[in-house]
Amino acid sequence: APANAAIAQSVECILGKDEVTSSNLVSSSTKEPLTGGSFFMKKSANEGEKTDMKLRNSLLLLLTATIWGVAFVAQSVGMDYVGPFTFVFARNVIGGLVLLPVIAVLGKSGGPHPKQAPEERRKARKTLVIGGMCCGTALCAGSITQQFALLYTPVGKAGFLTACYILIVPLLGLLFGRRCGVKHWCGVALAMAGLYFLCMTGGSFGFAMGDLIGLSCALLFSIHITVIDHFSPMVDGVKMSCIQFFFCAILSGIGMLIFEQPSFANILAAWKPILYAGAMSSGVGYTLQIVGQKGMNPAVASLIMSLESVISVIAGWLILGQALSGREIFGCVLMFGAIVLAQLPERKKQSV
């Protein structure tokens, strides 16, 4: 209970109680008339607030990548005891349970909610449930595919293939009319090169069954990112995250009962990696992803979160005693360069 309260307070401190929304800006503009000087002052203040929010969201996504990178070690160790469906089921149950007290604490400390008509409240609840179910379906498919990829593919190669979502997300965005700037595509190319030097230490790239599973995992996580980008501006991110975990647990639990023979003793033997993957990677990581993606270009968001592969190598070095080669260090440098490039501000065209 104290740990859950600490998590809730941390989330509240990160999010803040007075986020700037479009409705707040509209209501403030109707309360007092704007003169020429005050108009430009408010416009510059709003731009500054948007910049601060993007910076905060970028840091949240970087924290998400750190949590996920360390989780690669937990996922690899956990597969020594349980099957893919069982591992995904257990981690998502824990992730959902962790968020229940967080939602309760944030609901009490968030102040009075604006009154809504019953029809609006029913519509908002429906959107929240549908968003959670869609995100949970995509998350379940991606997570299980990733676990299967770890059975047939070395960890480094699986990390490279999974992180290919940084290339797939912009392509999916094009289907919905979302365009990326030149610097985003340059960042994607630089990140892909960095991931190659970081993870493909053998210098070769052959497509076996594990490689195809890994590429399928990248596609599914790209869909997950795109679905989150669609629903996150419309709903409460923490609540939608909780719903997606429980729905993912239901789907993976069905697969666990059909394809595996789960043993409570094996689950207890893997309690450490399951607990980290559930409480931190699922409960905290995916929630920070949903919150951090608000107002962010999904291509930039996926590029930041792809740092999980870099951090997984560092975590393997610190936790498992794996040494970094010069080739891997060079890949880390390229990856961080790609992140910096993606965060550079766009040049504004000056009107004559």
Side-chain angles (χ1 to χ4, degrees):
N4 292 336
I7 294 174
Q9 293 174 0
S10 301
V11 173
E12 182 178 349
C13 291
I14 294 173
L15 300 181
K17 295 182 180 179
D18 301 318
E19 288 191 341
V20 178
T21 62
S22 57
S23 59
N24 291 336
L25 296 179
V26 172
S27 61
S28 63
S29 64
T30 57
K31 287 181 181 178
E32 53 181 284
L34 296 179
T35 61
S38 62
F39 171 78
F40 289 108
M41 290 177 62
K42 287 201 171 188
K43 185 177 180 182
S44 60
N46 293 339
E47 290 179 353
E49 289 171 349
K50 289 181 179 179
T51 302
D52 293 340
M53 183 175 291
K54 286 186 177 180
L55 177 60
R56 184 205 67 179
N57 290 353
S58 298
L59 294 176
L60 290 179
L61 294 178
L62 180 59
L63 178 59
T64 302
T66 303
I67 294 173
W68 287 349
V70 178
F72 254 100
V73 176
Q75 289 176 246
S76 179
V77 174
M79 293 292 288
D80 294 335
Y81 303 95
V82 296
F85 286 96
T86 303
F87 188 89
V88 174
F89 167 77
R91 69 177 290 184
N92 280 278
V93 169
I94 295 176
L97 292 176
V98 165
L99 289 187
L100 289 178
V102 175
I103 293 173
V105 172
L106 292 181
K108 292 180 180 179
S109 60
H113 298 282
K115 293 184 178 179
Q116 288 182 324
E119 183 65 25
E120 293 180 355
R121 192 160 51 246
R122 187 162 46 249
K123 184 178 179 181
R125 191 182 301 114
K126 180 180 179 181
T127 303
L128 175 64
V129 173
I130 293 176
M133 293 175 65
C134 292
C135 291
T137 302
L139 174 62
C140 180
S143 298
I144 291 177
T145 306
Q146 186 179 64
Q147 293 301 128
F148 273 106
L150 289 172
L151 291 176
Y152 300 99
T153 310
V155 173
K157 203 168 190 180
F160 172 77
L161 293 171
T162 302
C164 284
Y165 63 74
I166 69 173
L167 181 61
I168 300 175
V169 167
L171 297 178
L172 292 178
L174 293 176
L175 298 177
F176 298 98
R178 184 187 292 268
R179 296 186 178 182
C180 296
V182 176
K183 68 182 182 65
H184 291 152
W185 288 108
C186 293
V188 167
L190 188 61
M192 293 295 292
L195 284 168
Y196 178 83
F197 282 102
L198 176 65
C199 300
M200 307 297 291
T201 54
S204 60
F205 197 94
F207 283 96
M209 183 177 68
D211 302 334
L212 296 177
I213 296 176
L215 288 175
S216 301
C217 174
L219 175 61
L220 293 170
F221 276 122
S222 300
I223 296 175
H224 184 238
I225 291 174
T226 305
V227 172
I228 289 176
D229 181 66
H230 175 73
F231 283 102
S232 61
M234 300 183 288
V235 299
D236 184 295
V238 181
K239 291 181 179 178
M240 186 174 75
S241 182
C242 185
I243 293 174
Q244 80 161 346
F245 292 144
F246 283 122
F247 194 73
C248 178
I250 292 174
L251 296 178
S252 58
I254 294 173
M256 175 185 68
L257 295 176
I258 295 176
F259 300 107
E260 298 176 356
Q261 291 79 37
S263 170
F264 189 71
N266 290 338
I267 294 177
L268 285 180
W271 72 269
K272 289 183 180 179
I274 289 178
L275 182 61
Y276 178 87
M280 294 300 295
S281 182
S282 292
V284 178
Y286 281 112
T287 301
L288 292 180
Q289 178 197 7
I290 290 177
V291 175
Q293 272 194 237
K294 280 191 175 182
M296 291 283 292
N297 188 310
V300 178
S302 64
L303 198 59
I304 297 175
M305 290 184 290
S306 69
L307 272 177
E308 66 175 294
S309 58
V310 179
I311 299 171
S312 67
V313 175
I314 298 175
W317 172 50
L318 294 176
I319 300 175
L320 302 179
Q322 299 174 348
L324 289 173
S325 65
R327 178 190 179 96
E328 292 169 331
I329 294 176
F330 180 64
C332 291
V333 173
L334 291 180
M335 280 294 298
F336 278 107
I339 300 302
V340 173
L341 179 62
Q343 292 302 300
L344 292 178
E346 296 280 359
R347 288 186 178 182
K348 296 183 178 180
K349 296 182 180 179
Q350 297 180 351
S351 58
V352 180

